[in-house]
């Protein structure tokens, strides 16, 4: 399995964990969502928020799977995207831990 696939799967698992813990906390009104986009989408429809959280992160992965980095700028774009995905994965991990700690207070 490619490293990018492992990174993406990890990112998506954490994304699903964040989605689950966020929706659970909304049901118990434990905290207010700080991300204004997610809060806006949730106010419109929880399904819309879930769709956004699943589709949005999938798009870079789909692009990266078929990306042919031949030129220097293409390699920079590819590596930058991977670094960004790795940092986002780390942040999601911290967010999920934070959410789980908050859920432990109910």
């Amino acid at each position: 399995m490619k490293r990018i696939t492992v990174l993406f799967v990890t990112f998506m698992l954490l994304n699903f964990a964040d989605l689950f813990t966020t929706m659970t906390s909304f049901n118990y009104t434990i905290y207010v969502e700080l991300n204004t986009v997610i809060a806006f989408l949730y106010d419109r429809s929880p399904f819309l928020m879930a769709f956004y959280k699943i589709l949005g992160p999938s798009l870079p992965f789909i692009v990266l799977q078929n990306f042919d980095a031949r030129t220097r700028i293409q390699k920079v774009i590819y590596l930058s995207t991977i670094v960004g995905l790795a940092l986002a994965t780390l942040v999601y991990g911290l967010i999920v831990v934070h959410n789980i700690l908050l859920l432990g207070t109910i």
Side-chain angles (χ1 to χ4, degrees), residues 17-32:
D18 176 50
L19 176 63
F20 175 77
T21 57
T22 298
M23 302 236 356
T24 302
S25 65
F26 282 160
N27 290 336
Y28 289 103
T29 60
I30 295 173
Y31 65 83
V32 176

Side-chain angles (χ1 to χ4, degrees), residues 1 7-8 12 17 20-21 29 31 34 37 39-40 48 50 52 55 59 66 70 74 77 81-82 95 98:
M1 191 182 307
L7 181 60
F8 176 73
M12 288 307 290
F20 175 77
T21 57
T29 60
Y31 65 83
L34 297 177
V37 173
F40 173 81
L48 187 60
Y52 172 81
L55 181 65
L59 294 177
N66 300 316
R70 293 183 185 195
Q74 289 171 331
I77 291 169
T81 305
I82 290 174
I95 289 170
H98 177 260

Side-chain angles (χ1 to χ4, degrees), residues 32-45:
V32 176
E33 178 63 50
L34 297 177
N35 183 333
T36 55
V37 173
I38 295 300
F40 173 81
L41 293 173
Y42 183 81
D43 286 343
R44 299 302 175 262
S45 166

Side-chain angles (χ1 to χ4, degrees), residues 39-99:
F40 173 81
L41 293 173
Y42 183 81
D43 286 343
R44 299 302 175 262
S45 166
F47 175 77
L48 187 60
M49 179 189 85
F51 182 75
Y52 172 81
K53 286 188 68 63
I54 293 166
L55 181 65
S58 298
L59 294 177
F61 176 72
I62 292 167
V63 171
L64 286 178
Q65 286 300 307
N66 300 316
F67 194 79
D68 187 17
R70 293 183 185 195
T71 67
R72 182 172 287 171
I73 190 70
Q74 289 171 331
K75 289 177 184 176
V76 168
I77 291 169
Y78 182 79
L79 291 174
S80 298
T81 305
I82 290 174
V83 169
L85 184 58
L87 290 173
T89 301
L90 175 65
V91 169
Y92 259 129
L94 296 172
I95 289 170
V96 169
V97 168
H98 177 260
N99 288 354

